[in-house]
Amino acid sequence: MAVLLLAEVTGGELALDATAKAVTAAAALGDVTVLCAGASAADAAAAAAKIDGVARVLCAEDAIYGHRLAEPTAALIVSLAGDYSHIVAPATTDAKNILPRVAALLDVMVITDVTAVVDADTFERPVYAGNAVQTVQSADAVKVLTVRTSTFDAAGDGGSAAVEAIGAAADPGLSAWVEDKLAASDRPELTSAGIVVSGGRGVGSEEDFALIEKLADTLGAAVGASRAAVDSGYAPNDWQVGQTGKVVAPELYIAVGISGAIQHLAGMKDSKIIVAINKDEEAPIFQVADFGLVADLFEAVPALTEKLG
Amino acid sequence: MKVLVPVKRVIDYNVKVRVKADGSGVDLANVKMSMNPFDEIAVEEAIRLKEAGKASEVVAVSIGVKQAQETLRTALAMGADRAVLVVAADDVDTDIEPLAVAKILKAVIDDEAPGLVIAGKQAIDNDMNATGQMLAALLGWSQATFASELDIDGDAARVTREVDGGLQTISVKLPAIVTADLRLNEPRYASLPNIMKAKRKPLDEKTAADLGVDVTPRLTVVKTAEPAERQAGIMVGSVDELVEKLKDAGAV
Ligand SMILES: Cc1cc2nc3c(=O)[nH]c(=O)nc-3n(C[C@H](O)[C@H](O)[C@H](O)COP(=O)(O)OP(=O)(O)OC[C@H]3O[C@@H](n4cnc5c(N)ncnc54)[C@H](O)[C@@H]3O)c2cc1C
Ligand SMILES: Nc1ncnc2c1ncn2[C@@H]1O[C@H](COP(=O)(O)O)[C@@H](O)[C@H]1O
């Protein structure tokens, strides 16, 4: 069996961690061909060729793939699909946008957010904000799936797959990129960080979110947030952890001023060690925390930052 | 321009979901059901477009069991003008897959010819995040998923999308499919007079068979299980104790 894996390429660069984790899931299904598409994708393709378990890399460079618009990228994948039994991608916002479109064009169901590969047709995925895990078996000829990276280990390096340049598919010409507002940050990326410090509504303001960021920087951690913190404008949308935000599973997750709604837990309850700091001892977050501290965050967080500094 | 909004009847987001002991699914008997929260946001956005004079009519569509009428009445009470119910299952435990939902929506759209479809980004029961994208594919339309801002600009829509790295703005040709993310707006509550008025608004009923769509699932749910439970941890008394525990655990 043969797998086509859509690599995560942003601004010409390979998102190595997300792609290498998806390779681990894909390698269980067959020979892995990685597709790198972008306005420039050669560097990404070269990096993908080094991932262990990758058999071949296809590199599609064209301006129409520059911003990963769904319509041209889906058309490209569909043009290649005939050779593959599975089409896989890490469950990033890009792939969540593109792969369901691919599946519908192939008249098959998409299987999103896969957390385990049982066999070539059978997969596990969480439903109801992670309150249940479904095992689903596909009857479709081609399986199109996105995989949740937080549950797969990254494939190592040491591969040396051949890279083949391919041409662009026809551009449906339905949409155009206008602008990106992407925050540049020296912090580790949220979904691959070893430590995540997240703040919730309890932090109270955008200014005070600096307390969370300072603790994160002391630990070399990524910063996360609850939906309430994002909705209130304390933190940007790309920091949201949860059912409908990012799913993280770091070695250490520190939840500060977060009550622990199921929608938040859905995004972090597979973390190795969970710490909760909350002034309400009844807060549900304490039910999943390994270490709980009932305290006012405005005292506890600066003290913790100082002691760990 | 007509705006069509697909709304799904789902278990209320506040309900604690229970997996059935025999692993056949989750318990939906006597459980509070509501409109999918993202679809409330989609309905709100459509109504705002109408209030701003950019949309002429808002049509809500739901697919599933007969009880989805209630969900459609909620959309009508919020301000939608008309509703279409497509009955595709008799049993509340049957979830119609996004591909079949998209095919049904396509059939409705072929008939209604809206200029814009605003769906939710994700149904909070199956957590698929797929229907809008699949519908766009079947229609050959443009798609703008995970929208946090939407402006109609002549024959195009300018949409800001919530993506992993931050925000991306794109311009999509109309007709288009937009899927609503959490920050698009804050949906209104239906007032009592509007709930009364909604009872008299038109609600058409069809079946999947009327539309010629086969809703046989492509995915068989082999089993539904409880997720792994976390062990209860301990409470610490001070920041010092917390630091000590974290050091002992090798976490910092
Ligand atoms: C469709 C849908 C999708 C959703 N998706 C997500 C998602 O992806 N991620 C997500 O997080 N949520 C999501 N939610 C929202 C979720 O239901 C909760 O509303 C949200 O997680 C609450 O955020 P919070 O814990 O920060 O706020 P709150 O629940 O208000 O909790 C704030 C906490 O801070 C504590 N606190 C206050 N002051 C202090 C202080 N000085 N010191 C210490 N503690 C203090 C309080 O005791 C309280 O426990 C979603 C909801 C819906 C309907
Ligand atoms: N049965 C349904 N009836 C109406 N709309 C639906 C249905 N299923 C999905 N949708 C729409 O598609 C969106 C995404 O759902 P999903 O792809 O299942 O996560 C929802 O927010 C709805 O707008």
Side-chain angles (χ1 to χ4, degrees):
Chain A
M1 262 174 299
V3 185
L4 180 66
L5 190 155
L6 176 67
E8 182 72 6
V9 179
T10 346
E13 236 181 88
L14 182 73
L16 181 61
D17 187 71
T19 305
K21 286 172 171 169
V23 168
T24 299
L29 297 164
D31 280 344
V32 180
T33 298
V34 173
L35 170 64
C36 291
S40 66
D43 291 352
K50 296 202 186 89
I51 300 174
D52 222 5
V54 173
R56 193 162 69 119
V57 177
L58 303 177
C59 176
E61 286 194 317
D62 194 292
I64 61 171
Y65 305 127
H67 302 285
R68 298 282 290 247
L69 296 171
E71 303 88 353
T73 311
L76 174 67
I77 295 172
V78 168
S79 75
L80 301 168
D83 298 336
Y84 302 94
S85 58
H86 294 78
I87 297 171
V88 177
T92 58
T93 47
D94 268 353
K96 287 177 179 173
N97 188 31
I98 296 165
L99 258 57
R101 188 172 180 108
V102 170
L105 291 171
L106 297 172
D107 192 28
V108 303
M109 250 305 278
V110 65
I111 311 169
T112 56
D113 255 327
V114 166
T115 50
V117 174
V118 179
D119 61 37
D121 322 302
T122 317
F123 308 92
E124 286 180 15
R125 60 182 301 274
V127 290
Y128 295 96
N131 283 304
V133 180
Q134 268 184 355
T135 305
V136 294
Q137 186 166 32
S138 167
D140 283 321
V142 185
K143 278 78 178 165
V144 178
L145 42 135
T146 61
V147 301
R148 185 175 275 197
T149 52
S150 62
T151 57
F152 293 92
D153 293 329
D157 54 11
S160 58
V163 177
E164 189 184 317
I166 59 168
D171 179 9
L174 294 166
S175 55
W177 173 81
V178 178
E179 67 173 343
D180 284 336
K181 282 203 185 113
L182 308 179
S185 160
D186 295 333
R187 296 198 182 99
E189 204 267 312
L190 188 51
T191 56
S192 55
I195 304 179
V196 174
V197 183
S198 287
R201 198 198 311 268
V203 177
S205 69
E206 188 182 358
E207 295 72 55
D208 284 329
F209 225 81
L211 290 175
I212 304 296
E213 299 183 50
K214 209 162 155 206
L215 174 57
D217 291 340
T218 302
L219 293 166
V223 185
S226 70
R227 172 190 174 180
V230 178
D231 283 2
S232 309
Y234 309 165
N237 66 281
D238 50 304
W239 289 3
Q240 183 180 312
V241 170
Q243 178 187 17
T244 57
K246 287 184 179 147
V247 180
V248 302
E251 294 294 310
L252 174 62
Y253 186 90
I254 305 181
V256 181
I258 292 177
S259 60
I262 55 163
Q263 292 86 2
H264 188 77
L265 302 186
M268 46 64 80
K269 70 180 161 56
D270 293 330
S271 304
K272 192 111 173 267
I273 295 176
I274 296 175
V275 171
I277 301 174
N278 195 303
K279 69 176 182 191
D280 173 12
E281 61 182 313
E282 303 284 323
I285 189 78
F286 288 126
Q287 290 163 21
V288 300
D290 297 281
F291 304 119
L293 176 63
V294 178
D296 185 334
L297 72 91
F298 295 101
E299 286 160 24
V301 173
L304 187 59
T305 307
E306 193 191 309
K307 298 215 157 77
L308 293 171
Chain B
M1 178 178 72
K2 190 191 284 185
V3 181
L4 189 133
V5 186
V7 296
K8 186 176 186 187
R9 177 179 188 263
V10 299
I11 196 163
D12 187 83
Y13 81 97
N14 271 316
V15 171
K16 171 93 183 86
V17 170
R18 277 179 222 298
V19 175
K20 287 190 208 163
D22 64 1
S24 65
V26 305
D27 203 347
L28 294 175
N30 306 315
V31 163
K32 183 178 181 210
M33 303 295 282
S34 300
M35 188 190 300
N36 183 42
F38 287 100
D39 305 353
E40 290 182 354
I41 298 171
V43 171
E44 175 67 33
E45 195 66 16
I47 297 167
R48 288 187 192 184
L49 285 175
K50 191 177 169 197
E51 288 167 348
K54 306 235 165 153
S56 51
E57 190 184 27
V58 177
V59 182
V61 183
S62 194
I63 294 142
V65 289
K66 234 181 153 99
Q67 292 89 319
Q69 272 187 3
E70 294 159 24
T71 317
L72 289 169
R73 290 287 171 208
T74 306
L76 294 170
M78 286 175 75
D81 298 295
R82 253 180 338 109
V84 179
L85 171 66
V86 181
V87 178
D90 327 307
D91 175 2
V92 292
D93 287 321
T94 308
D95 189 41
I96 310 295
E97 284 176 349
L99 181 61
V101 170
K103 287 180 177 178
I104 290 170
L105 288 171
K106 178 179 183 298
V108 173
I109 286 164
D110 286 344
D111 192 37
E112 295 274 352
L116 178 69
V117 175
I118 312 178
K121 114 167 167 180
Q122 178 171 333
I124 61 158
D125 51 1
N126 63 26
D127 281 332
M128 273 287 180
N129 188 341
T131 305
Q133 299 88 312
M134 295 189 116
L135 178 60
L138 298 179
L139 290 163
W141 288 8
S142 57
Q143 68 186 58
T145 52
F146 325 147
S148 64
E149 251 182 272
L150 166 64
D151 287 303
I152 303 298
D153 180 10
D155 59 357
R158 196 182 152 101
V159 181
T160 299
R161 309 177 52 235
E162 295 202 358
V163 296
D164 283 341
L167 296 169
Q168 179 190 57
T169 303
I170 60 174
S171 171
V172 292
K173 268 192 196 151
L174 295 176
I177 312 285
V178 171
T179 75
D181 213 323
L182 295 169
R183 258 70 61 180
L184 186 58
N185 60 52
E186 220 174 290
R188 69 193 67 188
Y189 290 102
S191 67
L192 196 57
N194 285 344
I195 292 171
M196 299 312 289
K197 261 203 276 182
K199 293 189 174 149
R200 291 190 304 273
K201 289 186 178 175
L203 194 160
D204 266 3
E205 214 176 293
K206 301 181 180 16
T207 66
D210 292 341
L211 299 171
V213 178
D214 177 6
V215 298
T216 311
R218 305 292 185 85
L219 304 177
T220 310
V221 180
V222 182
K223 81 173 180 216
T224 304
E226 298 265 6
E229 279 277 344
R230 274 193 87 91
Q231 299 285 344
I234 57 163
M235 299 302 285
V236 295
S238 66
V239 169
D240 285 325
E241 195 186 339
L242 176 59
V243 171
E244 193 184 308
K245 294 284 185 209
L246 288 175
K247 288 196 167 145
D248 287 349
V252 291

